[in-house]
Amino acid sequence: MQQRRESDSQPVPDNLSPVDALNEETAQGPFGSLDVQGRRLAAENAIYAEIGRIISSSPDIQEVYQGFAEEVRKLIPFDRLVINSVDVETETMATLYQAGVDVPEWVPGKQRPMSDSTTAWVVRKGRGLILGGDELRRRFPTQAPSLDRGLKWLVAVPLISKSEIIGSLHFRSRSAEGYCKNDLATAERVASQIAGTVANARLYAKQVETQKALEISVAEAKRLAQENALVADIGRMISSSLNINEVYKGFAEEMRKLVPLDRISIGILNRKDQTLTNAYVFGFELPGRGKGDAFPYKGSPVAEALRNRSSVLAQGTEQELRARYPTVATSGLRSIITTPLIHKNEIVGFLNIRSVRLNAYTRRDVDLLAQVAAQIAPALVNSQMYAEQSRLASFPMQNPNPIIETDLNGEITYCNQEAESQFPDLRDLGPEHPILAGLSGAMSELWPGEREFLSREIQVADKTYQQRILYLPQTKQIRIYSSDVTPKTDAKQLLDQQAELVSRATSELQELVHIASHDLQEPLGAIAGFAQLLSERYHDKLDESAHEYIGYILDGTSRMQVLLNGLLDYSRIGSDEEKTGLTDCSTAAKQAIANLQSRLDDGEALVTCDSLPKVSGSQTQLVQLFQNLIDNSLKFHSDERTRIHVSCTADGDSWKISVTDNGIGIAPQHHERIFGMFKRAHGRDNYPGLGMGLAICQKIVARQGGRIWVESELGKGATFNFTLPIPSA
């Protein structure tokens, strides 16, 4: 660059290009140097003119920037050129164009903070900057990425359009000679040329962005309008008929216009049996999930939607869906939406859609399905009522049960033959007949539309009748179906009496076991005491056989006392005195381990325990449960160091807790037997104990509403599993 600061007085040939003229270092004659300077100025002006032509020649801004860089290189040599755009309000900047050495840290188009940068300096000062070497690194540490690539020198000038600083122009060089003030002046001149183009490009970009936003907004409005129209069409179709089969015709095709689906179904909820019955199915077939099929919903998305009273969106591979919902039927369907059908604040069924495509649905689809479900629920209930009324209305004369119709004032307008046969005085007594007792109250609930039907039991003489009372909007009549349930009621009373007897007998048996266990302790203690006294006082007078017999007596009484204590512990399980509540299984397990610590230390056994949940139950019983299972693992250990691990996993609506050991194992034929009272898989001589520990475990788990079982093979250790219900939120 030294050649641009000094020149010799040599003549310049007429055929030199502008670039050659700029590089010409020789001049001839006494006025040669002026001639060279003139030609250089002419060459520079030609380049400036070419820059101006390039700026106005193409609508492609990147093409303009590229041509600009090629021409500017003829005026200011550089190894890197950068054009930045700045936002003074947010103090951010973005690289619009770069040429030469690449600096990956400064990605073109990405907004980054302007603070402590050379761009911030020229924007704040409103003038150019020349800086290089160590001074550049000291004053602007943010320039490290470019300095590390050998770009030692910098010329930076602001881009000013209509008195507003809109960006900056940077030149970077690896040359040791650096830049001079002439370079700064040249940079400011070319910056003034390109600034207007940058401003226009920014304005155009904003216009394009605004246009895109407007197009997106219009498209969204159109989409919402189309969706609302489709939802409205579905609503009209649903409400067009009380015959549900007519409603279902074309329903799936209309739904497909709204959301993508490969299967759609509508299920009727039966809370009592905890099942769902498919009333409508279209598309992909699933085993056991056809129209009319009833199946348990526990462990499926339906159970979660029922529990939360809201839609469930589940998407994933078959393995992922199975892990989350153990009973879900997939068969290649990897996206699921389950939405409750709620009528008058009661869930009556579920609308389900599925797709074989992974991640086929979004929250928008969930919201759309909820809108459709809100229209289906009342239509479904009304259609069921219509079907029931149509069915019953078709055979009132032949119905084997009494059927009575009244007007809204309670006056009898019709009764079938069975009603007249069972209630001969019905016509005479009218609304005062016992079979119509309290009918005015029932009508007050039915007539305003509060309920579609009413069920009740009513007593007439020595008979009990189950009644179903309906309002018939077509005729504005009240219809009463009565069914004699006296045998059923009597059977229920008998069953309740028997249950009371069983409960009383169980209570008495527990009391008997408790008393027997206490009362038998005293004579056993006496027998053991006198046998011990006999051995001590007449030790020298008794022969070896007598001492052996006394030993048998002491051993038998000791075992009898242990048996009675076991029976006492067993009888205490489930007693009314026990305090139950939310119990931490981790705390119970730790307490059980502490109770067995001396035995664990003696056998150098290692017990590990995962984090365990909180469950509803007795703290004392849970401690005993863990203690018996861990004690069982200690008792039946192998020759290896005993290792016991307590873990937990979710199993549907229950927690499954497992106690695993590396002991001698249990043969399959003993897996169920060992949970009985006084049942053992091994002889008492080899392994001490009464066979009560696991029986107590089974009773504790059963009282908590769970089950217990063992998985084991001889020589391969054992895993005792038990389930406890997950507490409701």
Side-chain angles (χ1 to χ4, degrees):
M1 284 175 283
Q2 188 67 26
Q3 72 272 17
R4 301 174 57 196
R5 302 169 193 169
E6 299 177 357
S7 59
D8 298 328
S9 299
Q10 300 290 333
V12 179
D14 292 334
N15 60 350
L16 289 181
S17 68
V19 178
D20 294 333
L22 285 174
N23 294 330
E24 175 61 44
E25 293 291 339
T26 62
Q28 300 178 3
F31 303 104
S33 61
L34 292 176
D35 189 31
V36 169
Q37 291 177 11
R39 287 177 179 272
R40 176 171 286 110
L41 288 175
E44 288 180 354
N45 289 334
I47 293 173
Y48 289 133
E50 179 63 15
I51 291 173
R53 186 194 67 77
I54 290 171
I55 288 172
S56 60
S57 65
S58 174
D60 185 346
I61 189 64
Q62 291 299 318
E63 184 178 326
V64 170
Y65 288 153
Q66 185 176 353
F68 170 78
E70 292 174 355
E71 290 301 317
V72 169
R73 190 187 293 274
K74 300 173 184 177
L75 296 172
I76 305 175
F78 62 80
D79 293 299
R80 174 177 170 82
L81 177 144
V82 176
I83 300 174
N84 285 333
S85 171
V86 301
D87 188 329
V88 178
E89 291 185 1
T90 61
E91 296 187 353
T92 59
M93 62 181 180
T95 298
L96 301 177
Y97 175 77
Q98 65 178 20
V101 177
D102 183 39
V103 180
E105 289 86 344
W106 298 332
V107 180
K110 183 179 181 181
Q111 291 289 128
R112 60 183 188 275
M114 192 168 59
S115 59
D116 299 328
S117 67
T118 53
T119 295
W121 192 95
V122 300
V123 169
R124 187 170 61 253
K125 299 290 186 180
R127 57 187 174 86
L129 171 68
I130 301 178
L131 209 58
D134 295 336
E135 184 67 12
L136 177 59
R137 186 183 293 273
R138 185 185 67 79
R139 289 181 58 183
F140 299 100
T142 58
Q143 291 295 305
S146 60
L147 289 168
D148 292 343
R149 288 167 176 80
L151 300 170
K152 303 175 183 177
W153 282 88
L154 162 77
V155 171
V157 293
L159 297 175
I160 303 174
S161 176
K162 297 180 181 180
S163 301
E164 179 187 358
I165 297 178
I166 61 169
S168 60
L169 175 63
H170 298 250
F171 297 89
R172 303 301 300 267
S173 175
R174 288 173 169 169
S175 172
E177 298 179 3
Y179 291 118
C180 65
K181 291 183 178 180
N182 288 341
D183 298 318
L184 178 60
T186 301
E188 289 173 341
R189 181 170 178 181
V190 296
S192 67
Q193 288 184 281
I194 197 66
T197 301
V198 173
N200 291 336
R202 284 178 47 169
L203 180 60
Y204 176 73
K206 287 183 179 180
Q207 291 176 341
V208 170
E209 184 178 348
T210 302
Q211 180 64 26
K212 286 183 178 179
L214 180 61
E215 291 174 356
I216 292 173
S217 178
V218 170
E220 180 68 10
K222 287 182 178 179
R223 182 185 64 78
L224 289 175
Q226 290 173 349
E227 288 177 353
N228 290 336
L230 285 170
V231 171
D233 288 342
I234 291 172
R236 282 192 292 272
M237 182 178 65
I238 289 171
S239 59
S240 63
S241 174
L242 286 173
N243 189 332
I244 195 65
N245 292 321
E246 293 181 5
V247 170
Y248 288 150
K249 290 178 181 177
F251 174 66
E253 293 304 325
E254 289 299 315
M255 284 296 299
R256 269 183 170 162
K257 298 176 184 177
L258 198 61
V259 291
L261 60 90
D262 294 298
R263 175 184 168 89
I264 183 170
S265 63
I266 297 175
I268 308 300
L269 178 67
N270 186 328
R271 284 180 179 269
K272 182 179 179 182
D273 296 337
Q274 295 189 342
T275 60
L276 200 69
T277 302
N278 278 336
Y280 172 76
V281 175
F282 179 87
F284 203 98
E285 295 184 0
L286 292 174
R289 299 292 190 273
K291 181 180 178 181
D293 288 341
F295 51 91
Y297 56 73
K298 182 179 179 181
S300 73
V302 169
E304 182 177 334
L306 180 63
R307 184 168 58 251
N308 298 331
R309 294 180 63 84
S310 62
S311 299
V312 170
L313 172 61
Q315 303 184 106
T317 63
E318 187 167 349
Q319 292 76 14
E320 291 170 341
L321 291 175
R322 284 280 187 181
R324 182 176 174 186
Y325 305 108
T327 65
V328 69
T330 54
S331 297
L333 295 166
R334 300 186 289 178
S335 296
I336 302 171
I337 300 179
T338 297
T339 299
L341 302 176
I342 302 176
H343 180 63
K344 295 184 179 180
N345 206 35
E346 180 181 355
I347 296 178
V348 296
F350 290 88
L351 173 62
N352 302 278
I353 64 170
R354 304 190 180 196
S355 174
V356 297
R357 188 161 57 87
L358 184 62
N359 298 325
Y361 301 124
T362 64
R363 293 306 307 179
R364 180 183 67 85
D365 299 316
V366 175
D367 294 339
L368 288 173
L369 210 63
Q371 294 182 50
V372 175
Q375 300 183 72
I376 289 179
L380 185 65
V381 172
N382 290 338
S383 66
Q384 287 178 313
M385 289 301 305
Y386 173 76
E388 177 70 6
Q389 291 175 7
S390 299
R391 183 184 68 82
L392 294 175
S394 64
F395 59 95
M397 295 297 294
Q398 290 76 31
N399 197 305
N401 294 313
I403 297 178
I404 305 169
E405 288 186 6
T406 73
D407 59 20
L408 299 180
N409 296 318
E411 297 295 332
I412 297 173
T413 59
Y414 167 81
C415 59
N416 67 352
Q417 293 179 356
E418 188 63 28
E420 292 181 342
S421 174
Q422 292 195 30
F423 314 117
D425 54 351
L426 180 61
R427 293 285 187 179
D428 297 333
L429 296 178
E432 302 301 321
H433 195 281
I435 196 67
L436 300 178
L439 186 60
S440 59
M443 287 193 297
S444 67
E445 293 187 41
L446 293 172
W447 168 236
E450 292 294 326
R451 300 176 67 176
E452 285 78 10
F453 64 90
L454 181 69
S455 295
R456 68 175 186 173
E457 282 190 0
I458 193 164
Q459 195 75 24
V460 179
D462 58 347
K463 290 188 176 182
T464 303
Y465 289 88
Q466 176 72 41
Q467 287 188 333
R468 187 178 181 90
I469 305 173
L470 306 176
Y471 170 64
L472 307 178
Q474 302 94 329
T475 58
K476 295 184 179 180
Q477 298 283 304
I478 301 295
R479 179 175 289 171
I480 305 102
Y481 298 90
S482 302
S483 176
D484 186 358
V485 293
T486 305
K488 180 180 177 181
T489 304
D490 292 344
K492 183 178 183 302
Q493 291 177 348
L494 179 61
L495 186 63
D496 290 342
Q497 292 173 357
Q498 290 176 343
E500 176 65 23
L501 290 174
V502 170
S503 176
R504 190 183 307 164
T506 302
S507 177
E508 292 174 352
L509 180 61
Q510 287 182 339
E511 184 178 359
L512 177 63
V513 171
H514 187 79
I515 293 173
S517 299
H518 275 84
D519 292 349
L520 287 175
Q521 295 282 357
E522 184 179 349
L524 280 176
I527 293 171
F530 280 110
Q532 186 69 37
L533 186 63
L534 184 65
S535 176
E536 292 175 356
R537 288 192 177 183
Y538 299 98
H539 183 273
D540 297 336
K541 298 179 180 180
L542 298 175
D543 59 14
E544 185 177 345
S545 296
H547 283 294
E548 184 179 355
Y549 298 153
I550 292 173
Y552 291 153
I553 294 172
L554 292 174
D555 181 60
T557 54
S558 176
R559 285 193 292 108
M560 192 63 180
Q561 285 177 327
V562 173
L563 276 171
L564 291 174
N565 288 333
L567 283 171
L568 190 59
D569 290 340
Y570 190 83
S571 68
R572 284 176 181 151
I573 298 172
S575 64
D576 295 334
E577 292 81 7
E578 296 178 49
K579 293 182 179 179
T580 60
L582 199 61
T583 302
D584 190 342
C585 288
S586 291
T587 302
K590 290 177 182 177
Q591 182 61 51
I593 293 171
N595 294 344
L596 296 169
Q597 194 60 54
S598 61
R599 290 197 57 202
L600 292 170
D601 293 340
D602 291 343
E604 298 183 350
L606 176 64
V607 181
T608 55
C609 185
D610 292 345
S611 177
L612 302 179
K614 293 182 178 180
V615 299
S616 296
S618 163
Q619 173 79 15
T620 303
Q621 289 185 12
L622 285 176
V623 171
Q624 187 175 10
L625 174 62
F626 283 111
Q627 185 168 328
N628 285 4
L629 292 176
I630 295 172
D631 180 70
N632 195 74
S633 296
L634 289 173
K635 184 185 299 182
F636 299 103
H637 63 84
S638 64
D639 294 336
E640 301 177 4
R641 181 188 180 186
T642 302
R643 297 180 184 274
I644 305 168
H645 181 65
V646 184
S647 60
C648 178
T649 58
D651 184 14
D653 294 337
S654 300
W655 294 112
K656 185 180 83 169
I657 300 176
S658 303
V659 179
T660 304
D661 62 49
N662 61 341
I664 61 174
I666 305 168
Q669 63 266 29
H670 297 307
H671 284 186
E672 294 184 9
R673 179 176 176 273
I674 57 175
F675 292 103
M677 290 180 60
F678 307 120
K679 302 298 183 182
R680 302 167 52 89
H682 304 278
R684 189 184 301 111
D685 295 338
N686 297 324
Y687 297 96
L690 303 172
M692 287 290 292
L694 293 180
I696 290 174
C697 289
Q698 185 179 53
K699 188 172 182 182
I700 291 173
V701 172
R703 292 287 300 182
Q704 305 296 333
R707 66 188 185 95
I708 186 170
W709 71 99
V710 66
E711 297 173 357
S712 177
E713 294 182 25
L714 277 177
K716 296 184 179 180
T719 297
F720 283 87
N721 304 295
F722 62 90
T723 61
L724 297 174
I726 298 175
S728 57

